[in-house]
Amino acid sequence: MNLTHLNQHGEANMVDVGDKAVTSRTAVAESLVVMSSAALEQVIAGNNKKGDVFATARIAGIQAAKRTADLIPLCHTLLLSSVKVTLEVLPERHAVRIECRVRTSGQTGVEMEALTGASLAALTVYDMCKAVDKGIRIENTALVVKTGGASGEWHRQEASDI
């Protein structure tokens, strides 16, 4: 399989999607933020000194998905029809699971937008909780599902670690 972002000389270039069919496309990505009991308790109680961790991370994830082309050099600017960021506390893992779902109708997929949204939401959780726990870890950021386009539907084969 060839790398699509390299030309015949091995130079990075933007893929021309102009001849591709417009199809409905979706992508789901996830990330896990693992933290101390004290930091997670603040998140659950809603008494983090910086404010509502979930609301702030949700907005950050949505903004990030919308700005992916500004952050990743060879991504196309896309008109997104939906970005949904959900956060779920996993108390047994001392963690917050983040999921970013992105939809569009277009000529290229939204995998990078979903991954960027999940990543920035996770970084925002870190930023808001770092005063309590500087050892917070962001783990397992991965694409879970993608649909649409010539390659059709794809689901992560192995069971999620999250």
Side-chain angles (χ1 to χ4, degrees):
M1 208 168 183
N2 293 331
L3 296 175
T4 58
H5 285 81
L6 297 178
N7 66 17
Q8 66 270 22
H9 305 293
E11 301 163 337
N13 76 5
M14 191 170 189
V15 174
D16 182 352
V17 298
D19 293 332
K20 287 180 151 189
V22 173
T23 63
S24 178
R25 297 163 184 266
T26 62
V28 180
E30 64 185 4
S31 191
L32 188 72
V33 184
V34 182
M35 62 188 73
S36 67
S37 298
L40 189 61
E41 286 172 17
Q42 275 195 359
V43 170
I44 293 168
N47 61 6
N48 183 285
K49 290 181 181 178
K50 288 189 174 184
D52 185 335
V53 174
F54 277 19
T56 306
R58 188 176 305 109
I59 292 166
I62 292 167
Q63 282 184 310
K66 291 171 29 178
R67 302 294 302 264
T68 298
D70 293 335
L71 301 168
I72 301 176
L74 301 177
C75 283
H76 293 83
T77 301
L78 302 177
L79 180 60
L80 304 180
S81 54
S82 175
V83 178
K84 290 188 170 77
V85 177
T86 58
L87 295 96
E88 164 190 20
V89 173
L90 303 177
E92 71 284 355
R93 306 256 327 252
H94 295 118
V96 173
R97 179 183 174 272
I98 298 165
E99 180 181 275
C100 183
R101 295 179 170 271
V102 181
R103 285 185 350 111
T104 193
S105 289
Q107 295 169 296
T108 189
V110 287
E111 298 91 347
M112 294 310 300
E113 287 73 12
L115 286 161
T116 301
S119 298
L120 264 288
L123 287 169
T124 300
V125 171
Y126 179 93
D127 179 53
M128 295 192 73
C129 298
K130 69 185 178 203
V132 178
D133 179 9
K134 291 189 181 9
I136 293 171
R137 294 183 320 275
I138 297 172
E139 302 178 347
N140 303 328
T141 300
L143 182 66
V144 179
V145 175
K146 70 95 41 220
T147 66
S151 61
E153 194 162 324
W154 178 88
H155 293 268
R156 187 160 207 68
Q157 293 297 322
E158 70 270 7
S160 173
D161 289 336
I162 295 177

